Amino acid sequence: MVRNYLKTAYRNLMLHKGFATINIASLTIGIIGCLTIGLFVWDELQFDKSVPNGENLYRIYEERTDNGSVTQMACVPPAFATFVDRQYPEVDTTVRMLMTSDRHLLEVGELKAYEVKGYFTEASFFNIFPAEFLKGDALSSIQEPNSIALTEELASKYFGTEEPIGKIIRVNKENYVVKGVFAKFPAHFHLDINYLMPLPLADIPKERMEAWTWHQFYTYVKLKPGSDVNQLQTKFQSHVTNTIHPENRQSGTTYLPFFQQLENIHLQSSDFIYDVSIRGNETYVKGLTIIALFVLLIACFNFINLATARSLARAKEIGVRKVIGAERGQLVFQFISETVILAVLSAILATVITMLVVPSLNAFTGKVISFNPITSPLLGVMLLGAAIVLGILAGIYPAMVLSGFQPVEVLKSIKVPNTASGTGLLRKALVVTQFSLSALLIVSATVVYRQIHFLNNKDLGFDKSQLIFFNLRDSLANNPNTLETFKAELKRSPGIIEVTTGYGLPGDQFAGDGIIVPGKDAGKEYSVSLFNGDHDYVKTLGFRIIAGRDFSREMSTDVQQAFIINETAVKEFGFGTPEKAIGQRLNWNEWEPVDTLNKVKKGTVVGVIEDFHYKSLHEKVNATVIHLYPQVNFKAAVKLKNADIKNTMTYLNSTWNKFSSGFPLDITFMDETYGKMYEAEEKLGTLMWIFTLMAIIVGCMGLFALATLSAEQRTKEIGIRKVLGASVFNIIRMLSKSFLSLIIISLLIAFPVAWWIMNNWLKDFPYRVDISWWIFAIAALIAMIITLLTISFQAVKAAMANPVKSLRSE
């Protein structure tokens, strides 16, 4: 009997190839969307799940509250680890990693290259994060003086087939002994590490390592089994709040520690600053999952629509089957078997296409996702089972409707079955739902695109184009006289406009420090972003001065007494206007005072510049202070002309080699660093448009099929209207009107929901676009055009048909 049902189902599908094709195509697209996003989401959820004792591992991070603005920071003071390890018995082990974005020069013989993802850390690192050691051992690899542990790939790169253990590798011209070679951490580990060095080799002063206000370390804590992390967090927060930072509360700045479970780091740290972990975005993952389900829902709605819309065409078939003894359960099974066949065929097609798409998905996301149901039978069985369930769910309602027709009514053809009006309402509701989801996606994708365009094109307060920067090495580091000579040499090139040196650049690292405003609230200290530069700093970077002046070599006191601040600092310091800020006094506690008896730099504001965005536009501009401090001029920035870049770079390299031949020049383009800040949004925007297009295509398939059915069912009506004088336009308008009214209802439902969703998404951006009325107007126009184009073919075909043939159709 089952075989007979399947045969009948197959014949019915072949009899109506067009509708079967539309159903299969739309379901295939929906399943592809779900599979690709499902693979991506599954991969995102695997981060740090395989780390031994991961349930007891936590990272300490901070929430910085600065005059009402809250920022989450991945780095914390070094004293945190020392204190919790000594004071709280529930803590088993701690480890600190020094925050650094430097690229270290590694050398073995003639082979030299700048390497990233190298960290100074404590010997307890491998106790918390066990690694597979291929050579050497974890205990001594980063414990002994001048030792270093390399990944297998890095060891192979520098030593080839030679035994690396005990060999010397130079790091920034210092000798290190290779004590261990470990396998690369799994792809789903939140840290990407190439080599590790002992923390003492960072040569940090003892008083710094005991500091509670120097936020420079990634700190991990391993708790003893059964420990209550919430209780520990409460105790530690209380200590920090009441004992360590009472003076910070008076200045309006506080730092509150939190314990973040290891497996939450990847997806729940997207807004953290100073974080080097591999980060995803929980909000984006959830959003893409919902969008993929939207596409699948639209495909399922298509099937239900088409099945119920064809119910009248199959009414007599059902009547005949019932007359000859078919029971309702048998009919339900018959019709569900048809939907299951469609779903299985769609799943097979979707699986094959997804296998072809996965390499592109990996290239786009930077992942290494594998998908092959052939080599993984369990996966194949799961997909087959899911397809069968999907087919049953999509076909259960049409099957119940079709099997419920009364044979007397349908065989007499006197009246429409009683359920027809109900199915008509259902079809309309499903069409409204389909296009509501499509309209929501169109609006959302447009808003995302506009926000991304805004992020990439907003005026940053300076021109980042043709700006390059690099670390200063050898004789150039901390040598003002040599630096001036180097700058003068560079300026001889016609392709170089300006050169500056300093510490802290837009799009790169900078200092967070305190500035004291004497005489205001008993010398209140304000948290600021601090940039140290030279006399050409403002000019090279193109900051716009709105009051006062730039640094001047003719003013010998500028080095010790001049400060330039931004507009936000004017407001936060209470200076009123930029003009009134000129001459106001500021104090700064020096980092490396030459005169140890006078550690405070006392000066005045000589200039005010427009706010410039030195961080991602995900963060607000803070109070910013620029001053001259030649002791820490570690980097150089060069403004290039657009013309003849190749020869200019050649000259730059040759000039560099005169001063620092031991270190290759390592250049970064500033606009590239800003571009990397918005990679997540760029990818989100691309995926949004892909899935929006998929939803539109699936919706149009269903609409086309419904328009075809509508035209078929009204063949005689159209013929009569034409005989009575109706024009082609009248017929097209009649057939289009019902669909357009449904689209209008869809838009009225979708627009408020889309506005609410996107308005909440935009709240995460301090600088954002407005959701303008024209976005909804464009979405409505697109929906109308798509609808008219989709149904116009069948409408025109029906309107142009010969009425004589139409009236003879039965």
Side-chain angles (χ1 to χ4, degrees):
M1 184 178 289
V2 173
R3 183 181 177 186
N4 181 59
Y5 287 152
L6 294 177
K7 269 187 179 181
T8 305
Y10 172 77
R11 287 171 182 168
N12 190 62
L13 294 177
M14 291 298 100
L15 185 62
H16 305 287
K17 293 187 181 70
F19 291 99
T21 301
I22 289 175
N23 265 327
I24 291 172
S26 62
L27 275 174
T28 299
I29 292 173
I31 295 172
I32 290 171
C34 274
L35 280 178
T36 52
I37 292 300
L39 290 170
F40 173 78
V41 171
W42 175 257
D43 188 84
E44 288 286 279
L45 294 175
Q46 299 313 302
F47 270 81
D48 296 312
K49 291 289 178 64
S50 61
V51 177
N53 298 310
E55 68 277 6
N56 296 318
L57 298 180
Y58 296 85
R59 180 176 71 170
I60 303 179
Y61 72 91
E62 287 184 327
E63 279 193 1
R64 182 183 72 192
T65 303
D66 190 0
N67 295 318
S69 176
V70 178
T71 306
Q72 294 173 315
M73 300 171 55
C75 54
V76 300
F80 276 16
T82 307
F83 184 82
V84 298
D85 194 31
R86 292 176 180 173
Q87 296 298 320
Y88 302 121
E90 54 264 56
V91 174
D92 181 274
T93 313
T94 64
V95 65
R96 292 172 291 192
M97 295 173 58
L98 180 64
M99 182 189 74
T100 174
S101 59
D102 288 342
R103 295 158 60 89
H104 301 291
L105 179 67
L106 270 61
E107 298 177 85
V108 173
E110 296 299 315
L111 178 61
K112 63 173 66 175
Y114 285 104
E115 301 291 350
V116 295
K117 302 165 186 173
Y119 300 95
F120 291 99
T121 188
E122 295 174 299
S124 56
F125 179 88
F126 291 116
N127 292 334
I128 290 184
F129 302 117
E132 179 188 356
F133 267 76
L134 307 175
K135 299 178 185 294
D137 64 274
L139 183 63
S140 62
S141 62
I142 50 174
Q143 188 174 32
E144 299 179 9
N146 288 75
S147 61
I148 188 172
L150 309 175
T151 60
E152 183 180 14
E153 291 86 350
L154 210 59
S156 177
K157 175 179 177 179
Y158 285 94
F159 296 101
T161 57
E162 294 182 19
E163 171 60 52
I165 300 299
K167 296 284 177 57
I168 300 295
I169 183 170
R170 304 194 77 192
V171 181
N172 294 336
K173 304 300 180 181
E174 298 289 335
N175 289 337
Y176 285 71
V177 180
V178 179
K179 291 290 185 178
V181 176
F182 58 94
K184 191 83 171 176
F185 280 95
H188 294 110
F189 186 52
H190 74 284
L191 292 173
D192 192 1
I193 297 172
N194 285 331
Y195 56 104
L196 294 170
M197 301 166 286
L199 184 57
L201 292 180
D203 198 23
I204 301 172
K206 183 175 181 294
E207 59 272 18
R208 279 275 186 175
M209 291 303 297
E210 297 173 353
W212 286 86
T213 56
W214 185 47
H215 311 269
Q216 203 71 22
F217 287 85
Y218 304 112
T219 300
Y220 296 87
V221 177
K222 181 180 179 182
L223 302 186
K224 295 175 182 176
S227 299
D228 188 338
V229 69
N230 293 321
Q231 186 178 24
L232 172 63
Q233 179 175 282
T234 301
K235 289 189 293 185
F236 189 40
Q237 287 180 350
S238 177
H239 175 77
V240 171
T241 301
N242 298 324
T243 308
I244 305 302
H245 294 316
E247 70 281 1
N248 289 69
R249 291 200 303 275
Q250 295 175 4
S251 67
T253 303
T254 58
Y255 297 90
L256 198 62
F258 287 85
F259 287 74
Q260 182 182 35
Q261 191 159 21
L262 184 70
E263 64 180 33
N264 293 334
I265 291 175
H266 176 69
L267 285 178
Q268 297 181 14
S269 306
S270 60
D271 294 330
F272 283 28
I273 60 174
Y274 310 128
D275 196 353
V276 294
S277 65
I278 302 171
R279 291 181 288 173
N281 189 307
E282 189 175 38
T283 301
Y284 292 172
V285 166
K286 290 179 179 178
L288 289 172
T289 302
I290 292 171
I291 291 169
L293 290 175
F294 280 180
V295 177
L296 184 61
L297 279 175
I298 292 171
C300 291
F301 290 168
N302 265 356
F303 181 83
I304 296 172
N305 260 338
L306 296 180
T308 54
R310 288 197 59 82
S311 60
L312 293 179
R314 301 189 66 177
K316 288 190 177 181
E317 173 196 344
I318 295 162
V320 172
R321 286 177 177 274
K322 283 197 169 186
V323 167
I324 63 176
E327 296 179 359
R328 185 171 187 180
Q330 293 173 320
L331 292 172
V332 169
F333 187 85
Q334 169 69 56
F335 295 126
I336 287 181
S337 64
E338 294 178 14
T339 67
V340 169
I341 290 174
L342 284 174
V344 170
L345 289 174
S346 299
I348 293 172
L349 281 173
T351 299
V352 173
I353 295 172
T354 301
M355 290 173 65
L356 299 174
V357 167
V358 162
S360 298
L361 178 66
N362 285 333
F364 181 71
T365 61
K367 293 183 175 294
V368 190
I369 298 172
S370 60
F371 176 72
N372 193 331
I374 298 173
T375 57
S376 178
L378 180 60
L379 179 60
V381 171
M382 290 173 63
L383 286 171
L384 180 62
I388 292 172
V389 172
L390 181 63
I392 293 172
L393 292 176
I396 190 69
Y397 179 80
M400 296 301 291
V401 170
L402 291 170
S403 63
F405 287 169
Q406 297 300 315
V408 175
E409 293 180 355
V410 297
L411 291 177
K412 281 184 176 181
S413 295
I414 294 173
K415 60 177 181 178
V416 178
N418 294 329
T419 52
S421 59
T423 57
L425 290 174
L426 176 67
R427 288 200 305 277
K428 291 178 181 179
L430 293 180
V431 169
V432 167
T433 304
Q434 281 180 292
F435 274 85
S436 292
L437 295 177
S438 297
L440 190 153
L441 290 177
I442 292 171
V443 172
S444 300
T446 305
V447 173
V448 170
Y449 170 78
R450 288 193 67 229
Q451 178 65 17
I452 294 169
H453 184 268
F454 172 79
L455 294 175
N456 286 321
N457 294 278
K458 186 183 185 302
D459 181 11
L460 300 176
F462 73 102
D463 183 9
K464 66 181 184 297
S465 64
Q466 304 304 103
L467 266 171
I468 62 172
F469 59 89
F470 47 87
N471 285 341
L472 297 171
R473 309 280 187 173
D474 283 349
S475 61
L476 292 174
N478 300 320
N479 192 327
N481 293 330
T482 307
L483 273 178
E484 288 301 317
T485 305
F486 174 66
K487 288 170 60 179
E489 285 281 333
L490 291 182
K491 285 185 175 182
R492 291 179 182 177
S493 169
I496 292 177
I497 301 171
E498 288 291 347
V499 183
T500 187
T501 60
Y503 173 77
L505 290 167
D508 193 47
Q509 64 188 54
F510 57 90
D513 213 328
I515 286 288
I516 299 168
V517 181
K520 183 177 176 59
D521 298 331
K524 180 178 178 180
E525 185 176 64
Y526 292 83
S527 177
V528 302
S529 298
L530 190 70
F531 293 82
N532 308 313
D534 60 15
H535 292 87
D536 301 311
Y537 189 86
V538 173
K539 180 169 51 177
T540 302
L541 295 174
F543 299 145
R544 296 188 279 268
I545 298 175
I546 57 176
R549 62 175 176 84
D550 193 359
F551 299 120
S552 173
R553 288 182 173 83
E554 297 178 0
M555 303 291 291
S556 59
T557 57
D558 273 6
V559 174
Q560 288 299 325
Q561 298 178 11
F563 293 96
I564 292 177
I565 63 176
N566 69 343
E567 295 171 284
T568 299
V570 172
K571 297 173 185 175
E572 290 193 10
F573 296 170
F575 292 157
T577 64
E579 290 74 19
K580 291 180 180 178
I582 305 303
Q584 296 283 351
R585 292 184 299 142
L586 297 178
N587 291 348
W588 174 64
N589 293 319
E590 296 191 23
W591 295 338
E592 300 177 9
V594 177
D595 180 4
T596 56
L597 297 178
N598 183 16
K599 296 185 178 182
V600 179
K601 178 176 180 178
K602 300 178 180 180
T604 58
V605 177
V606 300
V608 176
I609 59 173
E610 283 186 10
D611 283 344
F612 65 97
H613 295 275
Y614 46 89
K615 300 181 288 185
S616 160
L617 290 174
H618 287 284
E619 302 174 50
K620 286 185 177 180
V621 171
N622 298 331
T624 303
V625 176
I626 304 171
H627 70 128
L628 304 177
Y629 197 60
Q631 294 96 314
V632 292
N633 284 0
F634 297 141
K635 290 198 175 184
V638 179
K639 183 71 172 179
L640 307 175
K641 289 183 179 178
N642 288 325
D644 204 12
I645 294 292
K646 184 177 179 180
N647 286 333
T648 302
M649 296 302 290
T650 301
Y651 178 82
L652 182 58
N653 269 286
S654 63
T655 305
W656 168 268
N657 290 331
K658 293 179 184 177
F659 291 86
S660 186
S661 57
F663 286 86
L665 182 61
D666 187 29
I667 286 174
T668 301
F669 280 83
M670 192 171 287
D671 53 3
E672 291 179 359
T673 65
Y674 276 88
K676 291 178 181 178
M677 295 177 183
Y678 312 118
E679 284 182 349
E681 284 75 25
E682 293 275 6
K683 290 178 180 178
L684 174 68
T686 302
L687 290 174
M688 284 282 290
W689 280 114
I690 290 173
F691 280 100
T692 299
L693 185 61
M694 290 171 69
I696 290 172
I697 290 173
V698 171
C700 287
M701 285 180 175
L703 201 59
F704 177 82
L706 287 175
T708 303
L709 280 173
S710 179
E712 287 180 2
Q713 291 169 358
R714 303 178 74 171
T715 300
K716 283 194 174 183
E717 177 190 347
I718 294 170
I720 292 170
R721 287 180 178 272
K722 292 196 71 175
V723 168
L724 295 176
S727 66
V728 173
F729 176 76
N730 294 140
I731 302 299
I732 295 174
R733 185 178 62 180
M734 177 191 72
L735 292 173
S736 304
K737 184 170 63 174
S738 59
F739 289 107
L740 287 176
S741 63
L742 294 178
I743 301 306
I744 292 172
I745 295 172
S746 301
L747 299 178
L748 293 176
I749 294 172
F751 286 170
V753 177
W755 180 89
W756 181 79
I757 291 173
M758 298 316 299
N759 190 57
N760 282 320
W761 178 70
L762 288 172
K763 285 180 180 177
D764 291 336
F765 297 89
Y767 307 96
R768 53 185 178 266
V769 296
D770 295 323
I771 306 179
S772 305
W773 66 267
W774 59 263
I775 294 177
F776 300 100
I778 289 176
L781 184 62
I782 291 173
M784 294 293 184
I785 291 173
I786 288 172
T787 302
L788 289 173
L789 289 177
T790 303
I791 65 179
S792 61
F793 175 78
Q794 289 299 333
V796 171
K797 181 180 176 183
M800 297 292 291
N802 188 333
V804 176
K805 290 183 178 180
S806 299
L807 294 173
R808 288 178 177 175
S809 62
E810 293 184 11

